[in-house]
Amino acid sequence: MLEFIQGYYAYIFLATAFTIGLYGMMVKQNLMKKVLGMSIVAATTIMFWIVGAYKEGAGVTVLDPRFGVEDPGMYLNPLPHTLMLTAIVVAVVTLGVALALLIGIYREYKTLDEPTLLERMK
Amino acid sequence: MISSQAPILIPMTFLFAAMLIPLVGAVNRAAAHLTAVLGSALALYFSVIGMQTTLAQGRISYHIAGWMPPIGIEFVMDPLSAFICALLCGVTFIVMVFGKRSVEYEIPQKEIAFYSLSMLLLGGLAGMVMTGDLFNLYVYLEIAALAGYALVAIGDKRAVVSAFRYLVMGTVGATFYLLGVALIFISTGTLNMADIAQLMPMVQDSPAVIVGLVLIVLGTALKMALFPMHAWLPDAYTHASTTATALIAPIGTKVSAYVLFRVLFFVVDPDHLRTELLNLLQIIGYLGAAGIIWGSIMAICQSELKRMLAYSSVAQVGYIAVGISLASPLGFIGAILHALNHAVMKCCLFFISGNMRLRLGHSMIPQMTNGLRKSMPWTSAAFTLAAISMIGLPPTAGFFGKWYLALGAIEQSHWIFLSALLISTILNVAYFFRVMERMYLKPQEPEGVDYSEQTIVRNEAPASMLVPTLFLALSLLVLGFANAWIVTNLIVPMIPGWL
C-alpha cells in the first residue's frame, strides 16, 4: 500500500484535484466557483500529461556524452510538454470566454448565484 | 493539384475566411455576408473534388510541412471523412445563403462577428473531420467549441446563460477527451490514429488504455449530447439566433458522432471491440435508445417550435448512437445515412422556425392558426415535407435511415433497440402532427379574434430565405429516391473491412 502511494503519489494528487474541480463545476451554485472548478480541471489535465512524460534523472533529447545512445530511457520525450503549451493556451482562452460570459450575465441579471439567476430569468 | 491537397484546403479556407470577414466588414458591412458565402462555396468545391478523388483513388493523405507521419501531423481524407466534410460544407453554404435577412432581423449590428464566428466554427469542425492525429483533433474541437459558445451567446436575452452552461459542459467533455488521449499516448507513444490502430493489439488489455477509451467516449458523448449528457442542448439551441442554430444543430453534433465512429471503428482493434469493449458499445446503444424515447417525450411537452426541435435533436442523436452500437454493416449504413438525412431535415425545420419568427414575430405552437397555410403556404408545405421525413414515411429520406437501423437491430435480435425505434416513430407523429393540425385543420379562435372572417394577407418569407428552405425540403425527396445510389456508391466504400 505504502509502495503504491509512493510510486503514484503524483497521480493520486492529480485525481483528487480533478475530482475537487469536477465537484466545484457540478455542485457549486455560484457561477464564478464553477469557472474556478473548470480552471482546476483544465490545469489537472495539463499536469497529468506532464507527469506522464516525466522520468527520474533523464535529460533533454540531445545526444549527451554522459548517457550515450545505449539507453533511450535516459532521454525525455519532449512532445507532451510541447503539446501542453497549446493546451494551456486553449485553457486560458476558455477561461477568458467564460469570464466574458459571466460579465454578460451579471450585466443582464445583476447576480451570479444560480438559484437567484433562475428566479430572475422567469 | 487541388485534389491531393483537399484535406488541408477545406479547414484553411474556412479559417482564412474567418480572418478576412472582419477586415472586409470594416470597409463594407454588406461584403461580410458575401465573403462568408464565397468562402463556404469554395470549401464546398474543394470537398466535392476531394470526395471524387477519394472515391476514385482511395484515401488522400496530406503531410503538413512535408513531415512524414507518425512524426508529422497528417490530414486524411478517406471515404468517411470526405462524405462528412462534403455534408457539412453543403449545409454551411445553404445556411450562409439563408442567413442574410434572418441575421439582419434577429441580431442587428452583430453581422460581422456572426459571420466570422460561423466560419471559425466550420474551420474547427472541418479540421476535426480531416485530421489524422488525436491531439490535433482536440485543438480543432476546442476551436469549434469556442466559436460555438460565442455563436450561442449572440442571441436573445437568455442566450448568455445558456452559452455559459454550454461552455461548462463542453469544457468537461473536452477535458475528458484530452485525459483519454493522454492515457493512450502514455501507453502507445504515438498520437497518429493509423499508428495507434497498428499498436493497439499489443497494449489493449492494459487498464490505462481501457480507461483512456472510456474517457474519450465519455467526452465525445458529452459533445454530441448523448442522453443523459444532453442538458446543455435544448437551452443553447432555443436561445441562439435561428441561423446559428441552423448551423450548429445539423452538423455540430454530427461531427462529434464522427469522432466516435473514427475512434471506435478505425483506431480500436476490431477483435477487441468484438469481445470486451462490446460492453462499452452496448452502453452507448442503451443510452441512445433511452435518449430516443426521452427526447421524443420531452419534445411533445414543448410549446415553442425551436425548443421542440432541439429536444427532437436529442432523440435523433440517439439513432446514430444505436447505429454505432450495432457494430454491423447495416448499423453503420443506417447511422451514416441518418446523420445525412437528419442534417438536412433539421436544417430545413430550423429555417422554417426562422421564417415564422421573421413574419409572425414568434414561433410559439399554441399561437399558430390555420391562417398560416394561407399567409405562408410555401413555408407550411416545406414544414409538412420535413415533418413527414422526420417521422419516417417513405419515400422521404428519413425513412431509409430508420429502415437500415431497424434491419440492423433485427439482424442482431436487439429487440430493445427495435422497439425504441418504433415507439419513437409514434411519438414523432404525435409532436409533428400537433403543429400540422394547427397549420391546416382546426380554425382557431383564440382571444375572441375571428380568423375565419379576417382576410388573411399573404405574407411569405423573402426569397433569399424561402428558396433555401424549399431547396432543402425538396432535396429530402431527392435523397429519399437516391438513397440506394448513396448507399452503394458513397457509404459502402467507407465501411471498415472487418465489419
Side-chain angles (χ1 to χ4, degrees), chain B residues 145-262:
Chain B
L146 286 165
Y149 309 145
L151 271 180
V152 171
I154 310 180
D156 63 12
K157 255 180 80 177
R158 294 183 185 181
V160 199
V161 182
S162 35
F164 181 77
R165 236 178 240 160
Y166 183 17
L167 183 139
V168 170
M169 299 297 266
T171 310
V172 176
T175 314
F176 277 160
Y177 176 82
L178 187 60
L179 266 181
V181 174
L183 285 164
I184 290 192
F185 178 71
I186 288 170
S187 310
T188 58
T190 172
L191 288 166
N192 188 286
M193 288 180 195
D195 223 28
I196 292 175
Q198 279 184 349
L199 293 171
M200 212 43 154
M202 287 173 238
V203 290
Q204 65 193 10
D205 292 325
S206 77
V209 171
I210 292 172
V211 173
L213 282 173
V214 170
L215 281 171
I216 288 182
V217 169
L218 198 60
T220 324
L222 261 164
K223 284 272 173 194
M224 76 183 250
L226 187 63
F227 178 85
M229 292 162 266
H230 66 277
W232 55 269
L233 186 142
D235 279 342
Y237 284 8
T238 313
H239 300 305
S241 66
T242 304
T243 323
T245 315
L247 203 59
I248 300 172
I251 48 187
T253 49
K254 300 296 167 303
V255 171
S256 303
Y258 161 85
V259 174
L260 212 52
F261 269 113
R262 182 58 72 187

Side-chain angles (χ1 to χ4, degrees), chain B residues 82 185 220 229 236 274 277 318 363 365 478:
Chain B
F185 178 71
T220 324
M229 292 162 266
R274 286 239 178 272
L277 270 172
S363 53
I365 299 168
V478 176

Side-chain angles (χ1 to χ4, degrees), chain B residues 69-402:
Chain B
I71 306 271
I73 294 168
E74 188 188 18
F75 270 55
V76 187
M77 208 172 193
D78 62 359
L80 176 62
S81 61
F83 180 78
I84 299 281
C85 195
L87 170 66
L88 68 91
C89 290
V91 170
T92 315
F93 176 65
I94 295 169
V95 174
M96 283 299 136
V97 172
F98 172 89
K100 191 171 172 21
R101 290 292 301 273
S102 177
V103 169
E104 275 171 6
Y105 170 72
E106 283 182 25
I107 38 174
Q109 303 303 316
K110 289 177 186 159
E111 295 104 329
I112 295 173
F114 177 86
Y115 292 125
S116 181
L117 282 170
S118 53
M119 288 292 112
L120 198 60
L121 171 83
L122 262 293
L125 293 178
M128 273 168 86
V129 175
M130 286 295 141
T131 184
D133 180 292
L134 284 180
F135 186 78
N136 221 308
L137 200 151
Y138 165 75
V139 175
Y140 277 112
L141 183 126
E142 282 288 25
I143 292 176
L146 286 165
Y149 309 145
L151 271 180
V152 171
I154 310 180
D156 63 12
K157 255 180 80 177
R158 294 183 185 181
V160 199
V161 182
S162 35
F164 181 77
R165 236 178 240 160
Y166 183 17
L167 183 139
V168 170
M169 299 297 266
T171 310
V172 176
T175 314
F176 277 160
Y177 176 82
L178 187 60
L179 266 181
V181 174
L183 285 164
I184 290 192
F185 178 71
I186 288 170
S187 310
T188 58
T190 172
L191 288 166
N192 188 286
M193 288 180 195
D195 223 28
I196 292 175
Q198 279 184 349
L199 293 171
M200 212 43 154
M202 287 173 238
V203 290
Q204 65 193 10
D205 292 325
S206 77
V209 171
I210 292 172
V211 173
L213 282 173
V214 170
L215 281 171
I216 288 182
V217 169
L218 198 60
T220 324
L222 261 164
K223 284 272 173 194
M224 76 183 250
L226 187 63
F227 178 85
M229 292 162 266
H230 66 277
W232 55 269
L233 186 142
D235 279 342
Y237 284 8
T238 313
H239 300 305
S241 66
T242 304
T243 323
T245 315
L247 203 59
I248 300 172
I251 48 187
T253 49
K254 300 296 167 303
V255 171
S256 303
Y258 161 85
V259 174
L260 212 52
F261 269 113
R262 182 58 72 187
V263 171
L264 285 179
F265 290 135
F266 293 86
V267 175
V268 179
D269 180 39
D271 295 332
H272 199 49
L273 200 63
R274 286 239 178 272
T275 55
E276 286 153 51
L277 270 172
L278 207 59
N279 288 330
L280 184 60
L281 280 179
Q282 266 179 358
I283 290 167
I284 294 173
Y286 287 127
L287 290 182
I292 291 175
I293 304 291
W294 175 255
S296 306
I297 291 174
M298 287 306 281
I300 294 179
C301 307
Q302 304 306 320
S303 61
E304 215 265 349
L305 183 61
K306 240 172 124 185
R307 204 171 172 79
M308 182 188 100
L309 295 176
Y311 272 108
S312 132
S313 272
V314 176
Q316 307 295 323
V317 165
Y319 288 115
I320 300 176
V322 165
I324 292 174
S325 122
L326 289 173
S328 67
L330 280 173
F332 193 92
I333 293 172
I336 295 281
L337 200 61
H338 196 78
L340 165 73
N341 296 337
H342 177 241
V344 179
M345 298 186 281
K346 247 322 138 44
C347 194
C348 182
L349 285 167
F350 276 118
F351 279 3
I352 288 160
S353 80
N355 289 349
M356 286 181 181
R357 283 191 172 199
L358 185 73
R359 286 304 184 221
L360 303 178
H362 67 82
S363 53
M364 302 295 291
I365 299 168
Q367 292 175 27
M368 288 178 188
T369 59
N370 69 337
L372 260 179
R373 99 190 132 163
K374 280 178 191 157
S375 64
M376 301 173 80
W378 291 108
T379 305
S380 310
F383 180 87
T384 311
L385 196 55
I388 285 174
S389 180
M390 286 292 285
I391 293 162
L393 292 176
T396 48
F399 168 73
F400 296 99
K402 287 188 185 180

